[in-house]
Amino acid sequence: MESTYTVEGMTCGHCVAAVTEEVKQIHGVTDAVVVLDGGKLTVTSDAPVDFDRIVEAVAEAGDYTVA
């Protein structure tokens, strides 16, 4: 299963790495790809991931929000 989100507030490669690391730690997530240009976050998982878990992981990575 694949879901796409927009992450706001990222400004550099470190931001991308932090968001990627936190999202990949969510139970059931098999991959997370973050693109700085446009703030695209693509999450691949075995089953649907609760949106609140995505929001929490992104916030844990730094001062970023999911739109």
Side-chain angles (χ1 to χ4, degrees):
M1 163 164 268
E2 191 172 281
S3 302
T4 303
Y5 308 93
T6 301
V7 178
E8 298 175 345
M10 296 187 302
T11 59
C12 64
H14 179 267
C15 300
V16 169
V19 170
T20 302
E21 180 181 339
E22 289 296 330
V23 173
K24 282 186 172 182
Q25 292 181 25
I26 298 171
H27 180 73
V29 170
T30 56
D31 196 20
V33 177
V34 182
V35 178
L36 181 59
D37 187 31
K40 183 178 176 184
L41 164 62
T42 304
V43 177
T44 306
S45 58
D46 298 328
V49 177
D50 185 61
F51 180 70
D52 290 341
R53 295 288 298 129
I54 300 293
V55 171
E56 290 170 8
V58 170
E60 185 69 27
D63 192 23
Y64 317 118
T65 57
V66 180

